[in-house]
Amino acid sequence: VTHPIHDLDDLVHQRSRLGILVVLSEGGRVQFSFLQDSLGLSEGNLSRHLTTLEGAGYVTIEKGYEGRRPRTWTRLTSEGQQALNQEVAALKAIVARAEAHPRSAAPTRKLSPGTAVT
Amino acid sequence: MSTKDGGFDDAVDALTELDRLRRGTRRQRRGFWFPLILFGLLILASAPLYSVHQAVTTDAQSQAKLLRYLKTFEAMQKEDGDLPIRSTAPAGVAVAACPVGSGPQVAACGLTVTQARQLRTLAPANPFFQTHITQPSPARAALFWLVAGTGGYLLTAAFYRRRSTRRGVATSVRVYVTAGVGLLAAVAATTAASIFPLGHLVIRQMVPLAAIGVGLVILAYAERSLTLAAVGAGFVAALLATSGVNTTPSPDGPSYLAFAFLTPYRLAFLGALLLAAGVVFAAAERIGRQAP
């Protein structure tokens, strides 16, 4: 039986990107500044993560103006929602398995650096 | 972060963090206290328009005339169910249900616009009916809801848009506003056409308020709030309860649903209900924002 930890997607499981997906899932159309404040990320860092997620087809990025102020809005795609759902399901499966088998062996696969969410 | 026990700690931490982010975003996104307060105030403002069509007597002679007339309604209805004038409830019920001032008074409530008009036409020589039947107001109430209701939905849309600009996130209320304005337009159309039985209910002014309640349930879906859904459903239930919905036996066949008129007092109660809910949610949001 495959351990559910292998169902985790490295692209999604990375801490900041997972946070971005969750905020977009709950918020709908979200401004760049709101994501920054919610996740405590620098502008450059958030931009890099968004570009990665956009490249995977998980988010869309829309640039425009509100009055004279430039704004950037982001939105989750259906693929992004599906990826998030799968990630959450995998995390819950890990918890459920650990609770059912407290002394189960540690997984052979290690999470990539920076994946832990604290 | 440890990955012992099959990544258990990591998974638990991740799920906890996701829940925290989800709750925080939801708190910033929601703003349904605003439409609750706004429509609560609009309902209160509409209360004076909900004067019922009633005939009131204060002297014994007029009481006798009114009772005789109501009994004639019932007798005529029993003979021919297709009469132009139909009493919406047994005369005794109507007489007992109508709240009038102190003193020995008898009143006939629950007359539709058509009934009131035909009552005057059928009794041209009777000055009592000419002078004591209050003027109908459903047209004014329908116009009020068309204008103020539409304005209320547009204000709600503007509120959420402003919130989106200031906070960077807000619930999309496009479906709520579109459905709300559409329902009000349908109310206005059916009022104009007086289509039975929908027009019959519109005359009793239930439909605009029911549209507000249904709109709240739609908004609850957009806001992902079971609490708001419960408020919307509770409002519709209170509307039906205060409208005195009941089954009335028909001499011509099966029982039919009957509704009493919404009176200004009932409207005040329904408006206060939404207003109170809105104030509670606004206070909760304020407390939530001040919390660390």
Short mmCIF file of all heavy atoms in Angstrom, two decimals, chain A residues 3 5 13 18-19 22-23 25-27 29-31 34 38-39 66 71 88 91-92 94-95 98-99 102 104-107 111 115-118, chain B residues 1 3-8 10-15 17-18 20-26 28-29 161 164-171 223-224:
data_model
loop_
_atom_site.label_atom_id
_atom_site.label_comp_id
_atom_site.label_asym_id
_atom_site.label_seq_id
_atom_site.Cartn_x
_atom_site.Cartn_y
_atom_site.Cartn_z
N HIS A 3 2.14 4.87 0.80
CA HIS A 3 1.92 5.82 1.88
C HIS A 3 1.36 7.12 1.29
O HIS A 3 1.83 7.58 0.25
CB HIS A 3 3.25 6.09 2.58
CG HIS A 3 3.09 6.79 3.90
ND1 HIS A 3 2.77 8.12 3.97
CD2 HIS A 3 3.17 6.34 5.17
CE1 HIS A 3 2.69 8.47 5.24
NE2 HIS A 3 2.92 7.40 6.00
N ILE A 5 1.83 10.03 1.87
CA ILE A 5 2.76 11.15 1.75
C ILE A 5 3.26 11.28 0.31
O ILE A 5 3.67 12.36 -0.13
CB ILE A 5 3.96 10.96 2.73
CG1 ILE A 5 4.65 12.31 2.96
CG2 ILE A 5 4.97 9.94 2.19
CD1 ILE A 5 5.62 12.31 4.11
N HIS A 13 2.66 21.73 -2.27
CA HIS A 13 2.90 21.54 -0.85
C HIS A 13 3.85 22.58 -0.26
O HIS A 13 3.90 22.76 0.96
CB HIS A 13 3.47 20.15 -0.60
CG HIS A 13 3.51 19.78 0.86
ND1 HIS A 13 2.36 19.67 1.62
CD2 HIS A 13 4.56 19.55 1.71
CE1 HIS A 13 2.71 19.36 2.86
NE2 HIS A 13 4.03 19.29 2.94
N LEU A 18 1.04 26.80 -0.94
CA LEU A 18 -0.16 26.20 -0.35
C LEU A 18 -1.03 27.28 0.29
O LEU A 18 -2.26 27.29 0.16
CB LEU A 18 0.24 25.14 0.68
CG LEU A 18 -0.87 24.27 1.26
CD1 LEU A 18 -1.68 23.60 0.16
CD2 LEU A 18 -0.29 23.21 2.20
N GLY A 19 -0.37 28.21 0.97
CA GLY A 19 -1.09 29.33 1.59
C GLY A 19 -1.79 30.18 0.55
O GLY A 19 -2.95 30.59 0.73
N VAL A 22 -4.92 28.45 -0.67
CA VAL A 22 -6.02 28.45 0.31
C VAL A 22 -6.69 29.82 0.38
O VAL A 22 -7.93 29.92 0.41
CB VAL A 22 -5.49 28.04 1.71
CG1 VAL A 22 -6.51 28.34 2.78
CG2 VAL A 22 -5.16 26.57 1.72
N VAL A 23 -5.88 30.88 0.41
CA VAL A 23 -6.45 32.22 0.48
C VAL A 23 -7.30 32.50 -0.77
O VAL A 23 -8.41 33.04 -0.68
CB VAL A 23 -5.34 33.29 0.64
CG1 VAL A 23 -5.91 34.69 0.49
CG2 VAL A 23 -4.66 33.14 1.99
N SER A 25 -8.74 30.27 -2.65
CA SER A 25 -9.91 29.40 -2.61
C SER A 25 -11.02 30.01 -1.78
O SER A 25 -12.20 29.92 -2.10
CB SER A 25 -9.51 28.04 -2.04
OG SER A 25 -10.64 27.26 -1.76
N GLU A 26 -10.64 30.65 -0.70
CA GLU A 26 -11.62 31.25 0.20
C GLU A 26 -12.03 32.65 -0.26
O GLU A 26 -13.16 33.08 -0.06
CB GLU A 26 -11.05 31.32 1.62
CG GLU A 26 -12.01 31.84 2.66
CD GLU A 26 -13.27 31.01 2.80
OE1 GLU A 26 -13.16 29.77 2.80
OE2 GLU A 26 -14.36 31.60 2.89
N GLY A 27 -11.08 33.39 -0.87
CA GLY A 27 -11.33 34.80 -1.16
C GLY A 27 -11.89 35.09 -2.54
O GLY A 27 -12.43 36.16 -2.77
N ARG A 29 -11.65 36.53 -5.89
CA ARG A 29 -10.75 37.47 -6.58
C ARG A 29 -10.02 38.29 -5.51
O ARG A 29 -10.65 39.07 -4.79
CB ARG A 29 -11.60 38.37 -7.48
CG ARG A 29 -10.82 39.27 -8.41
CD ARG A 29 -11.81 39.89 -9.40
NE ARG A 29 -11.20 40.82 -10.30
CZ ARG A 29 -11.22 42.15 -10.16
NH1 ARG A 29 -11.82 42.68 -9.11
NH2 ARG A 29 -10.66 42.92 -11.05
N VAL A 30 -8.73 38.08 -5.42
CA VAL A 30 -7.97 38.64 -4.30
C VAL A 30 -6.86 39.55 -4.82
O VAL A 30 -6.19 39.23 -5.80
CB VAL A 30 -7.36 37.49 -3.46
CG1 VAL A 30 -6.49 38.03 -2.34
CG2 VAL A 30 -8.45 36.60 -2.90
N GLN A 31 -6.69 40.67 -4.14
CA GLN A 31 -5.62 41.60 -4.52
C GLN A 31 -4.27 41.08 -4.06
O GLN A 31 -4.16 40.44 -3.00
CB GLN A 31 -5.89 42.97 -3.88
CG GLN A 31 -6.71 43.89 -4.75
CD GLN A 31 -6.80 45.28 -4.15
OE1 GLN A 31 -5.84 45.77 -3.56
NE2 GLN A 31 -7.96 45.90 -4.26
N PHE A 34 -3.37 41.90 -0.49
CA PHE A 34 -4.01 41.09 0.54
C PHE A 34 -3.25 39.79 0.75
O PHE A 34 -3.05 39.34 1.89
CB PHE A 34 -5.46 40.79 0.15
CG PHE A 34 -6.22 40.01 1.20
CD1 PHE A 34 -6.77 40.65 2.29
CD2 PHE A 34 -6.34 38.64 1.11
CE1 PHE A 34 -7.45 39.94 3.28
CE2 PHE A 34 -7.00 37.91 2.08
CZ PHE A 34 -7.56 38.57 3.17
N SER A 38 -1.55 38.67 4.22
CA SER A 38 -2.02 37.42 4.84
C SER A 38 -0.89 36.43 5.04
O SER A 38 -0.85 35.71 6.06
CB SER A 38 -3.09 36.76 3.98
OG SER A 38 -4.21 37.59 3.88
N LEU A 39 0.03 36.39 4.09
CA LEU A 39 1.08 35.36 4.13
C LEU A 39 2.42 35.90 4.63
O LEU A 39 3.36 35.12 4.84
CB LEU A 39 1.26 34.74 2.74
CG LEU A 39 -0.01 34.08 2.18
CD1 LEU A 39 0.12 33.80 0.70
CD2 LEU A 39 -0.30 32.79 2.94
N GLU A 66 -7.39 50.76 -10.46
CA GLU A 66 -8.57 51.19 -9.71
C GLU A 66 -8.38 52.68 -9.49
O GLU A 66 -7.57 53.08 -8.65
CB GLU A 66 -8.65 50.44 -8.38
CG GLU A 66 -9.91 49.59 -8.28
CD GLU A 66 -9.84 48.61 -7.13
OE1 GLU A 66 -9.07 48.86 -6.19
OE2 GLU A 66 -10.55 47.62 -7.17
N ARG A 71 -3.31 47.93 -9.89
CA ARG A 71 -3.66 46.81 -9.01
C ARG A 71 -3.39 45.49 -9.72
O ARG A 71 -3.44 45.41 -10.95
CB ARG A 71 -5.15 46.84 -8.65
CG ARG A 71 -5.62 48.09 -7.96
CD ARG A 71 -5.38 48.00 -6.48
NE ARG A 71 -6.07 49.06 -5.77
CZ ARG A 71 -5.59 49.66 -4.69
NH1 ARG A 71 -4.42 49.32 -4.20
NH2 ARG A 71 -6.29 50.60 -4.09
N VAL A 88 -5.07 18.71 0.30
CA VAL A 88 -5.72 18.64 1.61
C VAL A 88 -6.14 17.21 1.92
O VAL A 88 -5.98 16.73 3.05
CB VAL A 88 -6.94 19.60 1.66
CG1 VAL A 88 -7.75 19.39 2.93
CG2 VAL A 88 -6.47 21.05 1.58
N LEU A 91 -3.08 15.31 2.97
CA LEU A 91 -2.68 15.68 4.34
C LEU A 91 -3.59 14.99 5.37
O LEU A 91 -3.12 14.47 6.38
CB LEU A 91 -2.73 17.20 4.52
CG LEU A 91 -1.66 18.01 3.79
CD1 LEU A 91 -1.97 19.50 3.85
CD2 LEU A 91 -0.28 17.74 4.40
N LYS A 92 -4.88 14.99 5.08
CA LYS A 92 -5.82 14.34 6.01
C LYS A 92 -5.59 12.84 6.05
O LYS A 92 -5.72 12.21 7.11
CB LYS A 92 -7.27 14.64 5.58
CG LYS A 92 -7.68 16.08 5.89
CD LYS A 92 -9.11 16.35 5.45
CE LYS A 92 -9.52 17.77 5.85
NZ LYS A 92 -10.85 18.13 5.31
N ILE A 94 -2.73 11.36 5.64
CA ILE A 94 -1.51 11.15 6.44
C ILE A 94 -1.87 11.16 7.92
O ILE A 94 -1.44 10.30 8.69
CB ILE A 94 -0.47 12.24 6.13
CG1 ILE A 94 0.07 12.04 4.70
CG2 ILE A 94 0.67 12.21 7.14
CD1 ILE A 94 0.92 13.20 4.21
N VAL A 95 -2.67 12.14 8.32
CA VAL A 95 -3.07 12.25 9.72
C VAL A 95 -3.88 11.02 10.14
O VAL A 95 -3.65 10.42 11.19
CB VAL A 95 -3.90 13.55 9.96
CG1 VAL A 95 -4.45 13.59 11.37
CG2 VAL A 95 -3.03 14.77 9.70
N ALA A 98 -1.63 7.98 10.43
CA ALA A 98 -0.78 8.05 11.63
C ALA A 98 -1.59 7.76 12.89
O ALA A 98 -1.10 7.13 13.83
CB ALA A 98 -0.12 9.42 11.72
N GLU A 99 -2.82 8.21 12.90
CA GLU A 99 -3.66 7.97 14.08
C GLU A 99 -4.09 6.50 14.17
O GLU A 99 -4.24 5.95 15.24
CB GLU A 99 -4.89 8.89 14.04
CG GLU A 99 -4.54 10.33 14.40
CD GLU A 99 -5.70 11.30 14.23
OE1 GLU A 99 -6.70 10.92 13.59
OE2 GLU A 99 -5.57 12.43 14.71
N PRO A 102 -0.09 4.23 14.97
CA PRO A 102 0.85 5.15 15.62
C PRO A 102 2.32 4.76 15.45
O PRO A 102 3.19 5.61 15.48
CB PRO A 102 0.44 5.09 17.10
CG PRO A 102 -0.89 4.45 17.13
CD PRO A 102 -1.02 3.63 15.92
N SER A 104 3.71 3.23 12.80
CA SER A 104 4.04 2.90 11.41
C SER A 104 5.41 3.46 11.06
O SER A 104 5.88 4.45 11.61
CB SER A 104 3.00 3.46 10.46
OG SER A 104 3.04 4.87 10.52
N ALA A 105 6.05 2.83 10.08
CA ALA A 105 7.41 3.24 9.70
C ALA A 105 7.39 4.62 9.07
O ALA A 105 6.42 5.04 8.44
CB ALA A 105 7.97 2.24 8.70
N ALA A 106 8.50 5.33 9.24
CA ALA A 106 8.63 6.65 8.65
C ALA A 106 8.70 6.51 7.14
O ALA A 106 9.17 5.50 6.62
CB ALA A 106 9.88 7.33 9.16
N PRO A 107 8.24 7.47 6.39
CA PRO A 107 8.25 7.37 4.94
C PRO A 107 9.66 7.44 4.38
O PRO A 107 10.54 8.05 4.98
CB PRO A 107 7.42 8.58 4.51
CG PRO A 107 7.63 9.56 5.61
CD PRO A 107 7.74 8.76 6.85
N LEU A 111 10.14 15.42 2.66
CA LEU A 111 9.53 16.62 2.10
C LEU A 111 10.64 17.58 1.67
O LEU A 111 11.70 17.63 2.28
CB LEU A 111 8.65 17.31 3.16
CG LEU A 111 7.45 16.50 3.61
CD1 LEU A 111 6.71 17.26 4.70
CD2 LEU A 111 6.53 16.21 2.47
N THR A 115 8.95 23.07 2.98
CA THR A 115 7.58 22.64 2.76
C THR A 115 6.76 22.65 4.05
O THR A 115 5.55 22.64 4.00
CB THR A 115 7.54 21.20 2.21
OG1 THR A 115 8.30 20.37 3.08
CG2 THR A 115 8.08 21.14 0.81
N ALA A 116 7.47 22.65 5.16
CA ALA A 116 6.73 22.59 6.42
C ALA A 116 5.94 23.87 6.64
O ALA A 116 6.41 24.96 6.32
CB ALA A 116 7.68 22.38 7.58
N VAL A 117 4.75 23.72 7.13
CA VAL A 117 3.91 24.88 7.43
C VAL A 117 3.83 25.00 8.93
O VAL A 117 3.40 24.09 9.61
CB VAL A 117 2.50 24.69 6.84
CG1 VAL A 117 1.63 25.88 7.16
CG2 VAL A 117 2.61 24.50 5.33
N THR A 118 4.30 26.09 9.45
CA THR A 118 4.30 26.26 10.90
C THR A 118 3.32 27.32 11.31
O THR A 118 2.92 28.13 10.50
CB THR A 118 5.69 26.63 11.42
OG1 THR A 118 6.10 27.79 10.73
CG2 THR A 118 6.66 25.50 11.21
N MET B 1 10.95 21.03 10.71
CA MET B 1 9.71 20.30 10.95
C MET B 1 9.93 18.80 10.78
O MET B 1 10.46 18.37 9.78
CB MET B 1 8.64 20.79 9.98
CG MET B 1 7.29 20.14 10.16
SD MET B 1 6.56 20.37 11.78
CE MET B 1 6.48 22.17 11.83
N THR B 3 9.36 14.85 10.16
CA THR B 3 8.48 14.04 9.30
C THR B 3 8.31 12.65 9.88
O THR B 3 7.94 11.71 9.18
CB THR B 3 9.07 13.92 7.89
OG1 THR B 3 10.37 13.35 7.99
CG2 THR B 3 9.11 15.25 7.21
N LYS B 4 8.60 12.50 11.17
CA LYS B 4 8.43 11.19 11.79
C LYS B 4 6.95 10.81 11.79
O LYS B 4 6.09 11.65 11.66
CB LYS B 4 8.99 11.19 13.21
CG LYS B 4 8.23 12.08 14.17
CD LYS B 4 8.85 12.05 15.54
CE LYS B 4 8.07 12.97 16.49
NZ LYS B 4 8.64 12.96 17.84
N ASP B 5 6.70 9.54 11.99
CA ASP B 5 5.34 9.01 11.96
C ASP B 5 4.66 9.32 10.64
O ASP B 5 3.49 9.73 10.60
CB ASP B 5 4.50 9.58 13.12
CG ASP B 5 4.97 9.02 14.45
OD1 ASP B 5 5.53 7.91 14.45
OD2 ASP B 5 4.78 9.71 15.46
N GLY B 6 5.40 9.14 9.57
CA GLY B 6 4.79 9.30 8.25
C GLY B 6 4.37 10.73 7.96
O GLY B 6 3.39 10.95 7.27
N GLY B 7 5.10 11.73 8.45
CA GLY B 7 4.80 13.13 8.17
C GLY B 7 3.62 13.64 8.95
O GLY B 7 3.02 14.65 8.59
N PHE B 8 3.30 12.96 10.04
CA PHE B 8 2.10 13.31 10.84
C PHE B 8 2.17 14.75 11.35
O PHE B 8 1.23 15.54 11.16
CB PHE B 8 1.97 12.33 12.00
CG PHE B 8 0.84 12.66 12.94
CD1 PHE B 8 -0.47 12.37 12.60
CD2 PHE B 8 1.09 13.29 14.16
CE1 PHE B 8 -1.51 12.67 13.46
CE2 PHE B 8 0.05 13.59 15.02
CZ PHE B 8 -1.25 13.29 14.66
N ASP B 10 3.99 17.26 10.39
CA ASP B 10 3.97 18.20 9.28
C ASP B 10 2.55 18.38 8.74
O ASP B 10 2.09 19.50 8.49
CB ASP B 10 4.89 17.67 8.18
CG ASP B 10 4.97 18.63 7.00
OD1 ASP B 10 4.92 19.84 7.23
OD2 ASP B 10 5.06 18.14 5.86
N ALA B 11 1.85 17.26 8.59
CA ALA B 11 0.48 17.31 8.05
C ALA B 11 -0.46 18.04 8.99
O ALA B 11 -1.29 18.85 8.56
CB ALA B 11 -0.02 15.89 7.78
N VAL B 12 -0.33 17.75 10.28
CA VAL B 12 -1.20 18.41 11.27
C VAL B 12 -0.93 19.91 11.27
O VAL B 12 -1.86 20.73 11.27
CB VAL B 12 -0.98 17.83 12.68
CG1 VAL B 12 -1.67 18.68 13.73
CG2 VAL B 12 -1.50 16.40 12.74
N ASP B 13 0.36 20.28 11.26
CA ASP B 13 0.71 21.71 11.23
C ASP B 13 0.17 22.39 9.98
O ASP B 13 -0.35 23.50 10.03
CB ASP B 13 2.23 21.88 11.29
CG ASP B 13 2.78 21.57 12.67
OD1 ASP B 13 1.96 21.46 13.61
OD2 ASP B 13 4.01 21.43 12.81
N ALA B 14 0.31 21.69 8.85
CA ALA B 14 -0.16 22.27 7.58
C ALA B 14 -1.67 22.48 7.61
O ALA B 14 -2.16 23.55 7.24
CB ALA B 14 0.23 21.36 6.42
N LEU B 15 -2.38 21.46 8.08
CA LEU B 15 -3.84 21.58 8.13
C LEU B 15 -4.28 22.68 9.09
O LEU B 15 -5.24 23.41 8.83
CB LEU B 15 -4.47 20.24 8.53
CG LEU B 15 -4.42 19.15 7.46
CD1 LEU B 15 -4.85 17.80 8.04
CD2 LEU B 15 -5.31 19.51 6.27
N GLU B 17 -2.56 25.38 9.85
CA GLU B 17 -2.25 26.66 9.21
C GLU B 17 -3.26 26.99 8.11
O GLU B 17 -3.69 28.14 7.97
CB GLU B 17 -0.83 26.60 8.63
CG GLU B 17 -0.40 27.83 7.85
CD GLU B 17 -0.25 29.07 8.73
OE1 GLU B 17 -0.40 28.96 9.97
OE2 GLU B 17 0.00 30.16 8.17
N LEU B 18 -3.64 25.96 7.35
CA LEU B 18 -4.64 26.18 6.29
C LEU B 18 -5.96 26.67 6.89
O LEU B 18 -6.60 27.57 6.35
CB LEU B 18 -4.88 24.89 5.51
CG LEU B 18 -3.72 24.30 4.71
CD1 LEU B 18 -4.22 23.17 3.82
CD2 LEU B 18 -3.05 25.35 3.88
N ARG B 20 -6.35 28.26 9.69
CA ARG B 20 -6.17 29.63 10.18
C ARG B 20 -6.27 30.64 9.02
O ARG B 20 -6.95 31.66 9.14
CB ARG B 20 -4.81 29.76 10.88
CG ARG B 20 -4.61 31.08 11.61
CD ARG B 20 -3.17 31.25 12.05
NE ARG B 20 -2.25 31.41 10.92
CZ ARG B 20 -2.09 32.54 10.24
NH1 ARG B 20 -2.79 33.61 10.56
NH2 ARG B 20 -1.24 32.60 9.23
N LEU B 21 -5.61 30.31 7.93
CA LEU B 21 -5.65 31.20 6.76
C LEU B 21 -7.07 31.30 6.19
O LEU B 21 -7.54 32.38 5.82
CB LEU B 21 -4.72 30.68 5.67
CG LEU B 21 -3.23 31.01 5.82
CD1 LEU B 21 -2.42 30.26 4.79
CD2 LEU B 21 -2.99 32.51 5.70
N ARG B 22 -7.75 30.18 6.14
CA ARG B 22 -9.11 30.15 5.61
C ARG B 22 -10.04 31.01 6.46
O ARG B 22 -10.81 31.82 5.94
CB ARG B 22 -9.62 28.70 5.58
CG ARG B 22 -10.76 28.44 4.63
CD ARG B 22 -11.25 27.02 4.73
NE ARG B 22 -10.27 26.02 4.35
CZ ARG B 22 -10.03 25.65 3.09
NH1 ARG B 22 -10.71 26.20 2.11
NH2 ARG B 22 -9.13 24.74 2.81
N ARG B 23 -9.93 30.85 7.76
CA ARG B 23 -10.79 31.63 8.66
C ARG B 23 -10.49 33.12 8.57
O ARG B 23 -11.40 33.96 8.57
CB ARG B 23 -10.60 31.16 10.11
CG ARG B 23 -11.26 29.84 10.42
CD ARG B 23 -10.88 29.37 11.81
NE ARG B 23 -11.38 28.05 12.09
CZ ARG B 23 -12.58 27.80 12.58
NH1 ARG B 23 -13.40 28.79 12.84
NH2 ARG B 23 -12.97 26.57 12.80
N GLY B 24 -9.21 33.45 8.51
CA GLY B 24 -8.81 34.86 8.42
C GLY B 24 -9.32 35.51 7.15
O GLY B 24 -9.84 36.63 7.17
N THR B 25 -9.20 34.80 6.04
CA THR B 25 -9.66 35.33 4.75
C THR B 25 -11.18 35.49 4.76
O THR B 25 -11.72 36.50 4.30
CB THR B 25 -9.25 34.38 3.60
OG1 THR B 25 -7.84 34.18 3.67
CG2 THR B 25 -9.61 34.97 2.25
N ARG B 26 -11.84 34.50 5.32
CA ARG B 26 -13.31 34.54 5.38
C ARG B 26 -13.78 35.73 6.21
O ARG B 26 -14.73 36.42 5.84
CB ARG B 26 -13.82 33.23 5.99
CG ARG B 26 -15.31 33.07 5.98
CD ARG B 26 -15.70 31.69 6.42
NE ARG B 26 -15.32 30.69 5.43
CZ ARG B 26 -15.55 29.39 5.54
NH1 ARG B 26 -16.17 28.94 6.61
NH2 ARG B 26 -15.20 28.55 4.61
N GLN B 28 -12.27 38.54 6.63
CA GLN B 28 -12.06 39.78 5.88
C GLN B 28 -13.04 39.92 4.73
O GLN B 28 -13.41 41.03 4.35
CB GLN B 28 -10.63 39.80 5.32
CG GLN B 28 -9.54 39.88 6.37
CD GLN B 28 -9.55 41.21 7.10
OE1 GLN B 28 -9.73 42.27 6.50
NE2 GLN B 28 -9.37 41.17 8.41
N ARG B 29 -13.44 38.79 4.17
CA ARG B 29 -14.28 38.80 2.96
C ARG B 29 -15.75 39.10 3.26
O ARG B 29 -16.41 39.80 2.51
CB ARG B 29 -14.16 37.42 2.30
CG ARG B 29 -15.03 37.21 1.09
CD ARG B 29 -14.74 35.87 0.43
NE ARG B 29 -14.90 34.72 1.30
CZ ARG B 29 -16.05 34.19 1.66
NH1 ARG B 29 -17.18 34.73 1.24
NH2 ARG B 29 -16.11 33.13 2.43
N ARG B 161 -18.06 46.26 -3.21
CA ARG B 161 -17.00 46.73 -4.11
C ARG B 161 -16.00 47.60 -3.35
O ARG B 161 -14.79 47.48 -3.53
CB ARG B 161 -17.64 47.51 -5.27
CG ARG B 161 -16.63 47.91 -6.32
CD ARG B 161 -17.30 48.57 -7.52
NE ARG B 161 -16.32 49.08 -8.43
CZ ARG B 161 -15.63 48.34 -9.28
NH1 ARG B 161 -15.83 47.05 -9.33
NH2 ARG B 161 -14.74 48.89 -10.09
N SER B 164 -13.88 45.43 -1.27
CA SER B 164 -12.87 44.76 -2.09
C SER B 164 -11.69 45.69 -2.36
O SER B 164 -10.53 45.28 -2.32
CB SER B 164 -13.50 44.31 -3.41
OG SER B 164 -12.53 43.81 -4.27
N THR B 165 -12.01 46.97 -2.63
CA THR B 165 -10.95 47.94 -2.91
C THR B 165 -10.11 48.20 -1.66
O THR B 165 -8.88 48.25 -1.72
CB THR B 165 -11.58 49.27 -3.39
OG1 THR B 165 -12.38 48.99 -4.53
CG2 THR B 165 -10.50 50.27 -3.75
N ARG B 166 -10.76 48.36 -0.53
CA ARG B 166 -10.05 48.73 0.69
C ARG B 166 -9.32 47.56 1.33
O ARG B 166 -8.23 47.70 1.86
CB ARG B 166 -11.03 49.33 1.71
CG ARG B 166 -11.62 50.65 1.23
CD ARG B 166 -12.53 51.24 2.26
NE ARG B 166 -11.78 51.74 3.42
CZ ARG B 166 -12.32 52.41 4.42
NH1 ARG B 166 -13.58 52.67 4.41
NH2 ARG B 166 -11.59 52.81 5.42
N ARG B 167 -9.93 46.38 1.28
CA ARG B 167 -9.32 45.23 1.97
C ARG B 167 -8.58 44.29 1.04
O ARG B 167 -7.80 43.46 1.50
CB ARG B 167 -10.41 44.44 2.70
CG ARG B 167 -11.07 45.22 3.81
CD ARG B 167 -11.89 44.30 4.69
NE ARG B 167 -12.47 45.03 5.80
CZ ARG B 167 -13.16 44.46 6.77
NH1 ARG B 167 -13.36 43.16 6.75
NH2 ARG B 167 -13.66 45.18 7.76
N GLY B 168 -8.90 44.38 -0.24
CA GLY B 168 -8.23 43.49 -1.19
C GLY B 168 -8.97 42.19 -1.40
O GLY B 168 -8.56 41.36 -2.21
N VAL B 169 -10.05 42.01 -0.69
CA VAL B 169 -10.85 40.79 -0.84
C VAL B 169 -12.28 41.08 -0.41
O VAL B 169 -12.51 41.87 0.52
CB VAL B 169 -10.25 39.63 0.00
CG1 VAL B 169 -10.35 39.92 1.49
CG2 VAL B 169 -10.89 38.30 -0.33
N ALA B 170 -13.22 40.51 -1.12
CA ALA B 170 -14.64 40.64 -0.76
C ALA B 170 -15.43 39.58 -1.50
O ALA B 170 -15.01 39.11 -2.57
CB ALA B 170 -15.17 42.03 -1.10
N THR B 171 -16.55 39.23 -0.94
CA THR B 171 -17.42 38.24 -1.59
C THR B 171 -17.99 38.82 -2.88
O THR B 171 -18.34 40.00 -2.94
CB THR B 171 -18.58 37.88 -0.64
OG1 THR B 171 -18.03 37.34 0.54
CG2 THR B 171 -19.52 36.87 -1.27
N GLU B 223 -21.51 33.80 0.50
CA GLU B 223 -20.68 34.10 1.68
C GLU B 223 -20.23 32.82 2.39
O GLU B 223 -19.47 32.89 3.34
CB GLU B 223 -21.48 34.97 2.66
CG GLU B 223 -21.72 36.41 2.21
CD GLU B 223 -20.58 37.32 2.61
OE1 GLU B 223 -19.41 36.88 2.57
OE2 GLU B 223 -20.85 38.47 2.99
N ARG B 224 -20.74 31.69 1.96
CA ARG B 224 -20.47 30.40 2.59
C ARG B 224 -20.75 30.47 4.09
O ARG B 224 -19.90 30.15 4.93
CB ARG B 224 -19.02 29.98 2.36
CG ARG B 224 -18.68 29.81 0.90
CD ARG B 224 -17.24 29.40 0.71
NE ARG B 224 -16.79 29.69 -0.64
CZ ARG B 224 -15.53 29.54 -1.06
NH1 ARG B 224 -14.62 29.12 -0.23
NH2 ARG B 224 -15.20 29.83 -2.29
#
